[in-house]
Structure formats: C-alpha cells, structure tokens
Amino acid sequence: MAARTAEAVIAATTPAAPEQTDPALLIEASVLLADAALAARRTGAELTAAWSSWRVGLQAVRRPGWALGTTLAAARALSNPAGLGIAVNGGLVGETVRSVGAMARRRPAAVAMAVDAFALRIEAAAREHPNLAGPLAKRLTDAIVAGRRIEAVRAARELTDLLGVTRTLTTISPVIMELLALNGLLDENPTNDRFSWVTLAGGIPTTDPILGLPAGLIRHLNPGPGRAERAEPDPLLERVLARSGNDIVSYIDDISALGNHGLALLRRIACEDGTERHVVLLPGTSFGRLSNSTPQDLVGAFDGVLRTDTTYTRSVKQMLLRAGVPEGAELMIVGHSLGGITAINLACDLDFVSTYRLTHVVTVGSPIDNKRPADPTTRVVSLVNEHDVIPGLDGRGPASASDIPDSWIELAWTDETYDYPLSHAPQAYADTLGDSLTAYRERVNELIRAYDGEILGNQPYLLRDK
C-alpha cells in the first residue's frame, strides 16, 4: 500500500512531458510567416521607390510643404521599430541605407519574421530527425537562429570534435539550406541576402550563400563547349556490363563501375515491343580537384545546380550526335549525383527534348527538385537516402515548405549508411535497393518496363570539357 502511495505521489509531482506540435503544423506556420516577411519586404521596397522617386523631387520644388510631410511620413514608416523597422531596400538609395542598417545590426520586421520562419522549419525537421535535437546540434542551430556567430562556431567545433566532419555534415544536412540562409540574413554582409530571400520563397538561388557572388561567375570557370570520344571499357567495366540489364540496381552498379573520371555510357536496346530505345548512364562528381578536364568536377557540380546549360549537358549532346542516335529516338537517362542533375538539366532543355523523346529521368542522390522538365510527359523518378547531404542542396529538405510536382515519383528512405560520403556513394544506394528495399526496386523497374529487351550495344564515351 505504501509503495503504491509513493508511486502515486511521484506520478503526481513529476511534470508531464510537453506535447510536441505536429511538424506539419510547424511547416504551415513557417509558410505564413515567410509570406508575411516577403510581403513586408515588398512593402519596404515600394515605399523606398516612391520616396526616392524623381517625381517626389519634382513635386518638392512645386509644393515643398507637401514634399516635407510626405518624406517624414515615409521615413517614419520605413524606420519605426514598432512597424516595419529599417525596411528600406531596393534601388541605389534603398540598398545603401539597407547596407548601413545591416552593418549596424538593425533588424527589420521582415528579417525578424523570416528568421522565425526558418526557425520553425528547423524545429519541424528536428521532430523528424532526432539527431538534430541532440544538445550540441541544438546548441548550434539555436546559436545560428539567434545570430550568435561566435557561439555557433564553438558549437560547430565541439560537434565536429565529437562526431567528425562527415557525421556532423550528415547531422545538419536536413537543414543546411536554412542555416546558410539564416547566416546570410543575420551577418553584416548585405551582398548575400538575396540567397536567403530566394531560399525563403522556395525559389532557385542564383548567388552563393557566403559572399553573394552571382552564378554567372561559375559559368566563366566552366566554359568548355563539351566533347565526347569513344572509349574502350576496362576489364572490370566489361564484366559489370556483361551481366547488366533493365534493372535499377544494375544501372547503379554500371554507373559505379564507370567511375567519375569522365566516362559515360550509351546503351542500345531492342525492346520487347519492337522499338529500339537508348539508355544513357551518367556518373557523378570527382572530388579529387576543384576543376579538371572532364565535366565531372566540383566546378561542374556548382554550375549544374545553378544552371541548365553546362559543359556536362553539352558533352552528352555531343555523345548522342557522334553515336548517330536518330532524331525522335526514345531515351532514358539514369544519373547519380551530378549525373542526375545533368539528366534533369537535359530534360529542361527545349531543344534537346524536341530532338529526342526523353521518356524517363531516373536520378540517384541528386538535388533536382527546383527544376522542371520542358516536356511534362517525361517521367521523373528520384531516389533519395535521407542521410545523404547532396540531395538537399536544391533547397528542398525535410524542413522545406516547397514540394515536388504530383507527377514525380520520389522514393526516400533512411538506412544504416548514416555517414556522408558513404551515404552518397552509388554502391550504398544499390545495396539498399537490392537488399532491404526490394519493393522500391520493383516499383522503379515497373516504371521503366518499356526498356526491357535485348542489349544490342554498350558504348562508353569519354567526356571532355573541350
């Protein structure tokens, strides 16, 4: 009896665990805050444009009293801490004042709402990814949300010391775009703010998140016209291709055997329905150097994320041209990482899809969700290991409010390959689909069933920048 009484007392005095808000509700709230932040920013830009207009100057000559009153009213609206805050933006005058305000750490209402919107996204992601809610990871994200950069650096260092670089990247990968955007909003550098606002709106960033450099600069680092040369397979690749077939695991194995040093593969198939079709296999990035003589380098990866016309896409076009693939031929492109980005970039190319019938794009661990095929009938299949850092670089992670088209097929999972880069390796994807996710394998194979048939030829090509 005494024991039961003690248990009752303990139960009565122990505080109940707080109920956690549904992540979907957090995302909905973040969307509303993001819309309000973007509206406040637009209002500030419109007031700035009206206030600094030459028409106001002309009216000031004619009606100085009116001009003075109007200027004071606009200044109050644009600087009232209880209203829009320092909301000046847009134009030479607006951007100058905004830059001074940013360096003085004056936070407009639009920025405050944007920060709260990103914070809600991060909280929603932490509900789905408990590693984000760990003490050190939470300390890091809280410090970035609060704009405490020194504390954020310390937390990042401690997290890296505890987990290592790769596991730290894996831990924060679901919210890496949000953290970069928050840093852009809260640092004293006004040139990188555009990245943050585009990310908040769910658009495609065209600047880098640190310095705010435009994507056009990367284009100048990756200017090659693209070239394709026939190549002979080495013994290992030859053995892998000899046992290949129209199966997603086989395609990923083939891509793994191709390596990431410039090779791509063109396969010709006599399909069961009597049609001759082609499959293009595109590997991902070589991480050995920032830039090399092939399209499969880090510069090409940055370029591919930001643009659609790249050295890699031009090289693939050259490959199909040299191989004599006829106009109107049906194609399927399977790509890993940068190869998947290149596949969707080709699907976005109106000239390409007008020349060839691109029926399927299958991407493996690729950040493609911010792009849309020019031909709406192209079937897009995206395979994503949620421990993989790379697919989240398109801005759409578990914390993002944006989504993919209903016609796309996205198959996502988590498995034991937790650490990046292991979680990004093509072989990790192949092993998971071949062992524990056979249902996903069968679903993809059913979607690409039209390419069942006899393989007539496997021709590797060496792709070059120029």
Side-chain angles (χ1 to χ4, degrees):
M1 180 70 177
R4 285 198 297 271
T5 303
E7 290 173 0
V9 170
I10 292 173
T13 56
T14 300
E19 291 188 9
Q20 292 192 333
T21 307
D22 185 344
L25 294 177
L26 293 173
I27 291 296
E28 289 180 16
S30 77
V31 171
L32 293 174
L33 271 173
D35 289 344
L38 293 166
R41 186 167 182 264
R42 285 193 300 269
T43 300
E46 290 166 1
L47 280 172
T48 303
W51 171 60
S52 58
S53 170
W54 62 269
R55 292 184 178 87
V56 174
L58 182 61
Q59 289 293 328
V61 175
R62 298 174 180 174
R63 302 162 60 191
W66 171 86
L68 178 61
T70 301
T71 301
L72 290 175
R76 283 196 299 270
L78 290 168
S79 60
N80 184 2
L84 294 176
I86 305 297
V88 182
N89 69 91
L92 178 61
V93 174
E95 288 305 297
T96 301
V97 175
R98 183 182 69 84
S99 299
V100 173
M103 288 184 285
R105 308 194 74 175
R106 297 292 299 273
R107 186 182 295 185
V111 171
M113 288 187 286
V115 169
D116 289 342
F118 282 129
L120 286 171
R121 293 186 191 182
I122 292 170
E123 186 178 349
R127 304 288 169 82
E128 302 290 340
H129 297 263
N131 289 317
L132 270 174
L136 279 179
K138 191 172 189 313
R139 180 184 163 198
L140 172 62
T141 57
D142 287 350
I144 294 176
V145 168
R148 299 191 296 268
R149 290 190 296 282
I150 294 177
E151 184 179 341
V153 169
R154 289 173 178 165
R157 184 184 296 122
E158 291 180 23
L159 192 61
T160 303
D161 289 343
L162 178 66
L163 301 178
V165 174
T166 58
R167 183 158 288 198
T168 297
L169 281 174
T170 306
T171 298
I172 66 172
S173 63
V175 294
I176 195 164
M177 294 295 286
E178 281 71 22
L179 296 179
L180 289 171
L182 280 166
N183 180 71
L185 282 176
L186 299 177
D187 63 10
E188 283 75 48
N189 175 18
T191 63
N192 60 1
D193 288 4
R194 178 172 175 77
F195 174 91
S196 305
W197 289 108
V198 171
T199 301
L200 181 70
I204 305 171
T206 57
T207 57
D208 86 90
I210 307 301
L211 299 176
L213 297 176
L217 291 180
I218 298 177
R219 176 185 61 199
H220 296 298
L221 299 174
N222 197 38
R227 184 161 60 94
E229 303 171 353
R230 289 172 65 98
E232 293 302 320
D234 61 30
L236 173 61
L237 178 58
E238 201 164 20
R239 286 198 300 273
V240 172
L241 295 178
R243 61 173 185 264
S244 186
N246 186 42
D247 169 74
I248 185 57
V249 172
S250 289
Y251 285 135
I252 300 174
D253 285 338
D254 296 345
I255 288 172
S256 182
L258 285 167
N260 50 15
H261 303 292
L263 285 181
L265 185 81
L266 177 63
R267 173 171 294 171
R268 190 161 57 94
I269 305 173
C271 298
E272 293 177 351
D273 62 0
T275 303
E276 187 172 293
R277 296 183 175 91
H278 296 79
V279 175
V280 176
L281 302 182
L282 302 178
T285 307
S286 170
F287 291 95
R289 295 168 56 191
L290 182 65
S291 180
N292 57 43
S293 62
T294 79
Q296 298 166 359
D297 53 25
L298 285 171
V299 169
F302 293 132
D303 197 16
V305 169
L306 296 172
R307 301 193 307 131
T308 56
D309 179 27
T310 67
T311 304
Y312 207 162
T313 61
R314 294 190 290 272
S315 297
V316 174
K317 292 178 186 178
Q318 287 293 320
M319 179 180 74
L320 298 176
L321 188 63
R322 292 203 61 174
V325 176
E327 292 187 8
E330 294 188 13
L331 296 177
M332 174 170 65
I333 306 179
V334 183
H336 169 254
S337 190
L338 173 57
I341 299 171
T342 302
I344 199 69
N345 285 342
L346 287 165
C348 294
D349 186 333
L350 184 59
D351 288 339
F352 184 82
V353 298
S354 299
T355 304
Y356 306 105
R357 172 79 175 90
L358 183 56
T359 63
H360 296 74
V361 166
V362 183
T363 68
V364 182
S366 302
I368 66 164
D369 298 337
N370 53 11
K371 297 180 180 178
R372 300 292 179 264
D375 181 355
T377 66
T378 298
R379 169 72 76 178
V380 178
V381 181
S382 176
L383 304 176
V384 176
N385 178 357
E386 292 185 358
H387 288 154
D388 185 357
V389 175
I390 301 300
L393 297 180
D394 54 22
R396 179 183 169 262
S400 174
S402 60
D403 211 345
I404 58 174
D406 292 338
S407 59
W408 288 27
I409 302 294
E410 180 182 76
L411 302 177
W413 64 85
T414 56
D415 58 29
E416 69 278 3
T417 57
Y418 182 80
D419 287 334
Y420 176 85
L422 178 60
S423 58
H424 183 59
Q427 201 54 55
Y429 278 87
D431 290 345
T432 299
L433 290 168
D435 295 336
S436 57
L437 288 177
T438 54
Y440 282 4
R441 177 184 187 176
E442 291 169 2
R443 186 175 181 189
V444 177
N445 288 343
E446 183 60 36
L447 291 169
I448 62 175
R449 190 69 66 197
Y451 286 79
D452 284 355
E454 179 187 357
I455 297 175
L456 302 178
N458 282 314
Q459 180 58 58
Y461 281 82
L462 181 62
L463 307 185
R464 296 289 190 186
D465 291 335
K466 53 188 177 182

